[in-house]
Amino acid sequence: MFRNRDSDKVRIEQATAADITALSDLLSVLFSQEEEFTPNAQAQHLGLARIIGNPDIGVVLVARQGNHIVGMTNLLFTISTALGDKVALLEDMVVLPACRGTGIGTMLLSAAISFARMQGCQRITLLTDRCNAAAQWFYAKQGFVVSSMVPMRLSLA
């Protein structure tokens, strides 16, 4: 019989400044998997620190299992120039390879959607690789639709 110990449970929480090193390591996993993508990792890490330091800019959510971060996502908040609505941009979602297929990505996305709604956002936009069929399928399953302005969006209204 399987027993789910407290240390096995996944919790979704807002990241803190103490999480920056673990988040940088997690993003390195993402960067290493994208063959044609050569990001400025240092700028990305500074961006996460900036978001964590200013909740008006956005939020970084982490999935913790015990004391380990096993996944993360971040939202940026902005005002749509076209409609004047507050919107959230879902930037990155990363789950450790060993934890994929366990529902952590869905938990992170659900938490991000709830957080965006609480902030008064009218929709979430997502910029994702059109060639990443698995990501496209995952987000479509969660209700995101292809948009003419951005690759995918989810209405929250």
Side-chain angles (χ1 to χ4, degrees):
M1 174 185 250
F2 175 75
R3 291 182 54 206
N4 192 7
R5 302 181 317 238
D6 283 343
S7 63
D8 293 338
K9 292 181 184 173
V10 174
R11 303 176 319 278
I12 307 297
E13 304 170 343
Q14 276 188 257
T16 67
D19 297 322
I20 290 294
T21 300
L23 290 170
S24 295
D25 293 344
L26 193 58
L27 283 173
S28 297
V29 171
L30 171 70
F31 296 154
S32 69
Q33 293 175 350
E34 300 194 15
E35 297 170 11
E36 296 179 18
F37 188 56
T38 56
N40 182 339
Q42 184 178 10
Q44 185 75 13
H45 301 162
L46 291 173
L48 287 177
R50 191 169 144 246
I51 295 168
I52 289 171
N54 186 349
D56 290 334
I57 295 172
V59 63
V60 178
L61 300 173
V62 295
R64 291 187 199 279
Q65 193 167 31
N67 293 325
H68 303 286
I69 293 178
V70 295
M72 63 81 62
T73 191
N74 64 307
L75 289 172
L76 295 174
F77 304 125
T78 188
I79 302 297
S80 167
T81 53
L83 304 172
D85 295 334
K86 187 173 185 181
V87 297
L89 172 64
L90 183 68
E91 251 196 341
D92 293 310
M93 182 176 297
V94 187
V95 176
L96 284 177
C99 297
R100 292 183 184 154
T102 62
I104 292 171
T106 301
M107 290 171 64
L108 282 164
L109 185 58
S110 294
I113 290 168
S114 294
F115 199 91
R117 280 192 173 117
M118 286 189 306
Q119 297 301 310
C121 293
Q122 299 299 306
R123 68 184 176 282
I124 293 179
T125 58
L126 169 68
L127 303 176
T128 186
D129 244 342
R130 289 196 187 273
C131 64
N132 187 338
Q136 295 286 331
W137 176 85
F138 171 77
Y139 289 114
K141 186 177 172 191
Q142 308 303 320
F144 282 78
V145 295
V146 173
S147 164
S148 60
M149 295 178 70
V150 294
M152 300 189 88
R153 79 164 188 266
L154 177 69
S155 175
L156 300 178

